């Protein structure tokens, strides 16, 4: 491909796009982002490392920028563009608005599709069997009788699927489908395979479409699941992909979740005991040679079930003796990842026993697959496969937990967070990898044809280091970094920090908020007040309502219902006040007259209360660092920028932000947090 061909295509597409949009206004920052993505894709910075991390403020038009830059390059180089997002809202915006807008004006032409996880699709055969009154797992458990309403809904699903009016995915069905009902008809990993006669199932039809399209939209969880399995399982091979990671500041957190594992001891034992009782019934669905696979699984269970029971008893006894001391929430984190000898010894045995079970179940699954090939549509065999598949999923996760708990860690490596959670009747073992950068490097950064990461909030304290460490990038590895300011009129809005008499950690702060907030609501038509906790929000709301204030409080109605009521009040000229917590500080879009007054009650410092956060802070301390300055302050900076970003949503918006936390003026980290914010006019 000649560079001039690519550049000419991008310019031509831009001209066509700009001429088709009524009232189109060129955006300098958007055009600059297109140009920088193009330079990275063409290898002008580093032909062996085509990675760009671009922080682009709200209003730049990130989506259209990366579509304009990435799709022509990918088409010319026979690559697939995979766009991954963190939220369903952005996925819907891409599929329903941005891609259809760009598609008619792009050369080379392209097609696109939305990829969803397997569990979002129904299985045609399972739906048909349930319609005909055949329980899918009847040989293992008694299926509850369907209510008339459920039967009616099933009939509607089947008719729509047969008529081609429904694609078979849960999200596109207008009415809610109860979880218990959906689980009986959803696609199942092992028994719903094309070679077993399921090639016309909605899931496989959707997957087949992915092989034909040039642009695939996914969420971060599905993308990372595919990469964790080596890539090329759900999506194309990484080497064939240009990855666009929108809202990429979530990537490290989701990668940690992807690598996490749990094992609930008592529940796992009872589940396996039930399965062990049902195993002999499999012989009726198999030929004689299948009995060996059943026997092997039974032998593994005879060792595993007592081991789980014994470990549960030992941990309970150690807790009673005070050798293990969970906190008030029943959580006990193992400091520095060091396991007690009792646990490490037991997990070593459990690891081997789960491996034996997984091998036995795999043989059993193969035998059932052969039986299903010979008897397509046999509900007894497919039901058996579904039940065995569930046990395989359990065995794989339990094996992963054992391996992560026992994983040896080198002197300079970060150990996983390891802990147990003690409930009323059960104990759960948990592990989460803390450092996922090396995994992302191995899965994606080193393999992808190109990676473009965009977000409005990558930097913390005006620096990319915090994000870079989290995702395994280095300043000198060839990756490029770019910051583009929002085109919004920040100096036209005010940031006010009142000189308050006390700080958020002081005993009288709740009472101070009850006095201060009404002062900053007076005369305002559209206000949003952000709190650091539900407790504080509800306490202040109760006190203010007692004084006659009308409030819309998060949690008292659904998010969309609250926002709709807020908009109705604003449109009707009535003052409206929204109270919300951290989730209202990200992704809330209230442009124009829907928000002109933003009150932030407290700096968004996260207290490391989860075992993962505690383990991360502990490891930084053990390595000679300062967790507060390296973790807490950078994360607070990112969250504060997000919260302040609620005020201005269009180029013509104006308003004010009131920050009721004087620590911005009195603590040494205050100036750094303030200087990282957009250039509002400041009043202190």
């Amino acid at each position: 491909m000649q560079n001039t061909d690519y550049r000419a295509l991008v310019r031509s597409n831009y001209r066509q796009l700009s001429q088709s949009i009524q009232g189109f206004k060129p955006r300098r920052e958007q055009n600059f982002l297109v140009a920088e993505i193009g330079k990275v894709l063409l290898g002008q910075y580093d032909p062996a490392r085509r990675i760009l991390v671009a922080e682009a403020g709200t209003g730049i038009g990130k989506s259209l920028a990366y579509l304009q830059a990435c799709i022509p390059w990918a088409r010319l180089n026979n690559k697939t563009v995979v766009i991954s997002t963190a939220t369903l809202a952005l996925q819907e915006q891409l599929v329903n608005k941005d891609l259809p807008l760009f598609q008619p004006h792009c050369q080379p032409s392209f097609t696109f599709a939305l990829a969803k996880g397997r569990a979002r699709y129904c299985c045609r055969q399972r739906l048909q069997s349930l319609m005909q009154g055949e329980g899918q797992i009847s040989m293992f458990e008694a299926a509850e009788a369907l209510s008339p309403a459920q039967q009616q809904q099933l009939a509607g699903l089947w008719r729509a699927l047969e008529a081609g009016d429904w694609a078979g995915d849960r999200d596109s069905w207008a009415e809610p489908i109860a979880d218990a009902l959906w689980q009986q008809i959803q696609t199942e990993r092992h028994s719903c395979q094309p070679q077993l006669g399921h090639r016309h199932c909605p899931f496989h039809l959707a997957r087949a479409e992915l092989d034909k399209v040039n642009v695939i939209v996914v969420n971060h969880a599905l993308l990372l699941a595919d990469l964790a399995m080596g890539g090329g399982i759900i999506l194309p091979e990484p080497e064939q992909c240009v990855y666009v990671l929108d809202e990429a500041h979530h990537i490290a957190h989701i990668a940690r979740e992807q690598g996490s594992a749990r094992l609930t001891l008592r529940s796992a034992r009872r589940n396996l005991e039930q399965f062990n009782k049902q195993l002999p019934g499999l012989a009726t669905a198999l030929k004689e040679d299948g009995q060996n696979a059943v026997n092997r699984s039974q032998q593994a269970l005879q060792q595993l079930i007592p081991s789980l029971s014994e470990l549960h008893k030992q941990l309970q006894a150690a807790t009673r003796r005070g050798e293990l001391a969970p906190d008030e929430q029943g959580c006990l984190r193992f400091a520095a990842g060091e396991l007690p000898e009792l646990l490490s010894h037991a997990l070593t045995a459990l690891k081997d026993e789960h491996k034996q079970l997984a091998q036995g179940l795999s043989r059993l699954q193969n035998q059932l697959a052969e039986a299903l090939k010979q008897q397509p549509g046999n509900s007894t065999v497919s039901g058996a496969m579904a039940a065995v598949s569930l046990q395989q999923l359990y065995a794989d996760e339990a094996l992963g937990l054992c391996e992560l708990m026992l994983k040896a860690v080198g002197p300079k490596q970060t150990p996983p967070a390891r802990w147990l959670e003690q409930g009323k009747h059960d104990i759960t073992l948990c592990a989460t990898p803390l450092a996922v950068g090396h995994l992302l490097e191995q899965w994606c950064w080193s393999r992808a044809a190109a990676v473009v990461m965009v977000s409005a909030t990558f930097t913390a304290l005006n620096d990319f280091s915090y994000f870079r460490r989290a995702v395994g990038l280095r300043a000198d590895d060839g990756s490029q970094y770019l910051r583009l300011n929002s085109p919004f009129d920040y100096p036209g809005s005010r940031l006010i920090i009142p000189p308050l008499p006390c700080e958020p950690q002081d005993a009288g702060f709740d009472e101070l908020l009850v006095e201060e907030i009404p002062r900053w609501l007076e005369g305002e038509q559209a206000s949003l007040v952000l709190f650091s906790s539900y407790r504080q929000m509800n306490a202040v709301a109760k006190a203010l309502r007692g004084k006659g204030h009308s409030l819309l409080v998060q949690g008292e109605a659904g998010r969309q219902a609250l926002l709709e009521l807020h908009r109705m009040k604003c449109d009707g000229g009535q003052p409206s006040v929204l109270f919300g917590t951290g989730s209202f500080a990200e992704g809330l879009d209230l442009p124009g007259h829907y928000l002109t007054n933003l009150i932030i009650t407290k700096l968004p410092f996260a207290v490391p209360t989860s075992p993962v956060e505690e383990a991360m802070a502990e490891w930084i301390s053990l390595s000679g660092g300062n967790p507060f300055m390296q973790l807490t302050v950078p994360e607070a900076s990112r969250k504060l920028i997000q919260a302040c970003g609620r005020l201005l949503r269009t180029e013509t918006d104006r308003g004010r932000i009131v920050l009721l936390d004087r620590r911005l003026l009195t603590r040494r980290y205050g100036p750094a947090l303030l200087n990282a914010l957009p250039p509002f006019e400041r009043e202190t």
Side-chain angles (χ1 to χ4, degrees), residues 120 218-219 224 243 275 298 311 353 426 433 499 585 607 612 642 652:
R120 305 310 297 173
V218 301
N219 63 29
L224 288 168
Y243 293 111
F275 180 64
Q298 285 181 314
L311 177 56
E353 289 160 6
D426 217 333
V607 179
V612 175
Q642 282 179 336
T652 58

Side-chain angles (χ1 to χ4, degrees), residues 489-495 647-648 653-657 679-682:
D489 180 17
Y490 289 107
S493 295
R494 294 180 296 155
L495 172 64
L647 182 67
L648 304 186
D653 285 358
R654 299 286 186 279
R656 74 177 185 191
I657 299 171
F680 298 104
E681 180 191 342
R682 293 185 197 168

Side-chain angles (χ1 to χ4, degrees), residues 562-590:
L562 277 178
L563 296 180
E564 189 57 37
L565 187 54
H566 173 76
R567 293 187 185 100
M568 286 173 59
K569 292 180 73 174
C570 293
D571 289 339
Q574 301 177 52
S576 183
V577 181
L578 273 170
F579 272 26
T581 59
S583 60
F584 271 39
E586 182 176 2
L588 200 67
D589 191 22
L590 294 171

Side-chain angles (χ1 to χ4, degrees), residues 57 204 206 266 469 509 610 620 656:
H204 295 296
R266 187 165 178 263
R469 282 196 304 269
F509 190 69
S610 79
I620 289 175
R656 74 177 185 191

Side-chain angles (χ1 to χ4, degrees), residues 6 10 13-14 16-18 20-21 24-27 29-35 37 56 59-72 83 90 93-94 97-106 110 244 246 452 454:
Y6 168 68
V10 172
N13 292 343
Y14 175 76
Q16 290 192 52
L17 183 66
S18 61
S20 72
I21 300 175
F24 178 85
K25 292 181 180 178
R27 297 179 180 180
E29 294 86 355
Q30 186 185 60
N31 293 338
F32 190 74
L33 179 56
V34 173
I37 294 173
I60 284 174
K62 297 185 289 293
S63 311
L64 274 179
Y66 58 64
L67 295 182
Q68 290 179 71
C70 293
I71 293 176
I83 305 173
L90 183 51
Q93 177 191 313
L94 284 162
K97 180 185 172 187
D98 295 336
L99 285 163
L101 175 65
F102 183 52
Q103 193 177 37
H105 313 294
C106 178
F110 70 91
V244 178
D246 206 336
V452 176
V454 294

Side-chain angles (χ1 to χ4, degrees), residues 459-463 483 629 633-634 637-638 641 669 672-674 676:
T459 57
L461 305 175
N462 290 312
D463 194 274
R483 288 189 78 182
M629 295 306 297
V633 173
S637 172
R638 190 182 66 78
I641 293 168
Y669 53 75
L673 289 175
L674 276 173

